[in-house]
Amino acid sequence: MYGLTALFSCTCSPHYFCSPHYYYLLLLTATFIPTPIGRLFAIADDNGLYLLEFDNRRGLEKEIERLRIKRQARIIAGNNAILTQLTNELALYFSGKSATFTIPLCLMGTPFQKDVWALLQKYQPVKLKCIRI
C-alpha cells in the first residue's frame, strides 16, 4: 500500500490549491472499505462513484493516475455521502440482506463502452440454486 499512500501525499499537498491555475480542478475523495473478500479502494465525489477496486490489484496506481489526469482532479483521503452510501450498501450485500446498489456511477470510456455499461445496468441480480441429484 506504499504506492497508494504516496499518491495521496503527492496529490493532497497544499501547494496544489495555492496556484490560480488549479482552481478548475475536480476534487475527488478516496477511502478504503474492508469487506469479507478483501479490502476495496473507492474514489468518488458528491455526484457519483469513479472507481471501486481491490486495493492490492496490480496496476491500481496507474489507473488512479489516469483517472486523475483525465478528469483533471485532485484526490484526497476522506469520506463523503457517496462513499458512506457505498460502504452501507456493500455491508448489506455481504450480509445477504440486499443485492441492490443505487450508487450513481461516473462512467468513463468510449461511447461503445458506455452503451454496454448502460445495458448491463438494466439487468437485475438473479439467485442461483444448486440441485443435488
Side-chain angles (χ1 to χ4, degrees):
M1 284 318 356
Y2 175 77
L4 293 178
T5 305
L7 182 65
F8 282 137
S9 64
C10 291
T11 61
C12 298
S13 175
H15 77 273
Y16 280 109
F17 298 102
C18 295
S19 170
H21 301 289
Y22 289 100
Y23 285 124
Y24 67 94
L25 295 177
L26 176 67
L27 184 61
L28 300 175
T29 305
T31 193
F32 294 99
I33 303 170
T35 73
I37 59 171
R39 192 165 75 158
L40 297 173
F41 181 73
I43 298 177
D45 66 8
D46 292 332
N47 299 312
L49 181 68
Y50 287 82
L51 180 116
L52 180 65
E53 290 280 359
F54 286 101
D55 72 343
N56 60 353
R57 188 180 68 75
R58 186 177 178 178
L60 180 58
E61 289 88 358
K62 287 182 183 178
E63 186 173 353
I64 294 167
E65 185 64 11
R66 280 192 305 270
L67 169 65
R68 189 188 66 73
I69 291 169
K70 186 167 186 163
R71 291 293 180 149
Q72 296 182 333
R74 292 295 171 242
I75 302 170
I76 62 168
N79 209 350
N80 62 28
I82 296 291
L83 294 173
T84 299
Q85 180 184 350
L86 175 62
T87 301
N88 293 338
E89 288 184 9
L90 285 169
L92 290 171
Y93 175 80
F94 285 113
S95 69
K97 295 178 181 172
S98 176
T100 303
F101 291 92
T102 60
I103 298 292
L105 303 176
C106 298
L107 301 175
M108 295 186 311
T110 65
F112 173 76
Q113 289 171 321
K114 290 179 181 179
D115 289 345
V116 170
W117 293 326
L119 182 64
L120 289 173
Q121 289 177 11
K122 293 179 182 180
Y123 288 96
Q124 298 296 319
V126 296
K127 291 186 179 184
L128 298 176
K129 293 186 179 185
C130 296
I131 300 173
R132 223 181 229 187
I133 300 177

